[in-house]
Every structure is written in C-alpha cells, then in structure tokens.
Amino acid sequence: MPVLHQMQVSGNCYKIRLAAHQLGVELTLKDYGLMDGATRKPDFLARNPNGRVPLLELEDGRNLAESGAILWYLAEGSRLLPADRWQRAEVLQWMFFEQYSHEPYIAVARFWLTFAPKEQLEKKRHLVPEWHAKGNAALAVMQRHLTDRDWFAGGGYSIADIALYGYTHCAADGGFDLSAYPAVATWLRRVASEPGHIPLEATW
Ligand SMILES: N[C@@H](CCC(=O)N[C@@H](CS)C(=O)NCC(=O)O)C(=O)O
C-alpha cells in the first residue's frame, strides 16, 4: 500500500487524504511533527530534497512530492480529473493559482497565527497585513469566478476544487473572514457535500 508522509493539520496533506478517500485509494499514513524539523533530516531529504510533506511513497519505492503533483497522479483516469484537453488545462490553471496566489498567504497566515509558538510569531507579526491583503485578493478572485459557476474547472468537481478547498475551508484560522465571499462559502458547502468527503481531522 502507498505511504503518505504527512502532517495531520497540514492542508496540503489533507488534500491528498481527501482525494484518496474519494477515489477509494488506501494509504498508510506516516506522521511527522509540525515543528520538530523531522522532514529536514537526511533520511527524509533522501526522499524529498525539498524537505516537505506531503510525500507519497509508492510500493516500488518511488517518492512523489508536491500536493498538486500527488493529486494529479492519484486522480489520473478518474472522475476527479477530466479527460478533455481544455478542461485539464483549466484544472492546472486553478492548481497553479492555488500554489502561487493563495497558499503562500492563506496557509502561511494560518500556520503562524494558529500553530507557531507565540515568540516566533512576534518576529513575523509585521508580515501579517501583507498575508491578509494578498490572501483576500485570492479570495476575491475565487468569489468572482464562482459567482456564475459551481466548480473551478469545467466539467464538475475536480482536484482543482480539492486543491483550493484544502486551505480555504480553514482560512478563518489565519484571520480571514469568509462572510465577505458568499459564493466561496456556498462552494465550500458544495465541496463538503460531495460523496466520500472527509474533514481535515479525519485520519481515514
Ligand atoms: N508546495 C508544497 C508545500 C509543502 C509544504 O509547505 N509543506 C509543509 C507542511 S504544509 C512542510 O512540510 N513543512 C515542514 C518544513 O518546511 O520543514 C505542496 O503543495 O506540497
């Protein structure tokens, strides 16, 4: 069975658990501490030189890092990834948006404001307004897109929705107020109603 090297509270790792659960893919979970630097030790760096989870270890020993790449690998040939060329490109459009314009602000604000030790947060406090401004800009883009659509990519619920759900559904942990984005809030409920949905807290 593939092993997901992960941190339970990480939205990036939750994306993988959620997609795997909805696809009926069984995974063994191997947990790492959020603050103990275990992913920066030589044995982990041999699997992922970037020293981060999620990391999917296949039964044949190959290792795949980056949540988007793992989602793509798991979803290939399934209902979570369209076959149509244009729709696949739309899926990638929103997955790249998530990694460049959304996660670096919304996930980072959540990490520092909710999980990091308070004395370390104080060293980052001056960055909070920028995280909030750029995170809110990403939420406004999502709001505009969802005003007349149910899903991010054409064709229906896909890994683009899972990628964006990972940190949007818990954005309040980073000090974001989703009541300003009603179409995003409706989409969050729509995603949570999909068959096989599991919450971030679920181990499986
Ligand atoms: N772009 C990566 C980001 C991965 C990432 O930032 N992982 C964090 C947990 S969410 C991590 O491993 N942090 C530990 C560290 O950086 O040492 C992805 O989408 O998978």
Side-chain angles (χ1 to χ4, degrees):
M1 190 185 302
V3 178
L4 178 65
H5 297 257
Q6 67 139 21
M7 297 170 184
Q8 185 65 31
V9 298
S10 152
N12 284 318
C13 299
Y14 170 49
K15 297 170 194 173
I16 310 305
R17 294 196 303 277
L18 174 55
H21 194 262
Q22 293 187 309
L23 291 168
V25 174
E26 296 226 18
L27 298 173
T28 300
L29 303 183
K30 181 167 169 33
D31 285 301
Y32 294 79
L34 195 56
M35 302 299 299
D36 61 9
T39 62
R40 303 299 171 133
K41 302 231 165 87
D43 55 339
F44 190 90
L45 291 173
R47 296 183 187 281
N48 177 12
N50 198 26
R52 289 183 170 87
V53 291
L55 178 81
L56 186 70
E57 177 189 351
L58 300 185
E59 281 152 326
D60 63 10
R62 287 180 294 172
N63 293 285
L64 188 62
E66 293 293 330
S67 59
I70 300 169
L71 285 175
W72 192 271
Y73 176 78
L74 292 176
E76 189 68 83
S78 81
R79 71 179 182 93
L80 296 182
L81 182 53
D84 175 80
R85 179 181 177 186
W86 182 258
Q87 291 174 348
R88 287 163 74 83
E90 286 184 328
V91 169
L92 283 177
Q93 172 187 334
W94 287 104
M95 291 173 75
F96 286 126
F97 166 81
E98 190 267 345
Q99 288 280 293
Y100 189 77
S101 300
H102 181 289
E103 195 260 13
Y105 312 112
I106 295 180
V108 168
R110 174 176 179 260
F111 171 76
W112 286 101
L113 294 175
T114 298
F115 298 107
K118 292 289 162 263
E119 66 279 6
Q120 290 188 33
L121 167 63
E122 289 322 313
K123 291 185 204 138
K124 298 277 178 177
R125 185 70 77 182
H126 64 289
L127 295 172
V128 173
E130 183 188 347
W131 295 336
H132 282 166
K134 291 184 172 170
N136 276 304
L139 292 167
V141 169
M142 294 170 69
Q143 168 69 22
R144 269 200 301 284
H145 184 71
L146 290 168
T147 298
D148 55 0
R149 292 175 189 83
D150 284 351
W151 306 111
F152 276 93
Y157 177 63
S158 74
I159 54 173
D161 298 286
I162 294 177
L164 281 160
Y165 187 84
Y167 283 107
T168 307
H169 86 286
C170 54
D173 293 347
F176 293 92
D177 177 8
L178 290 182
S179 67
Y181 308 103
V184 173
T186 302
W187 164 81
L188 288 174
R189 288 193 290 278
R190 196 175 292 127
V191 172
S193 305
E194 278 293 296
H197 184 84
I198 51 170
L200 182 143
E201 298 74 28
T203 47
W204 202 239

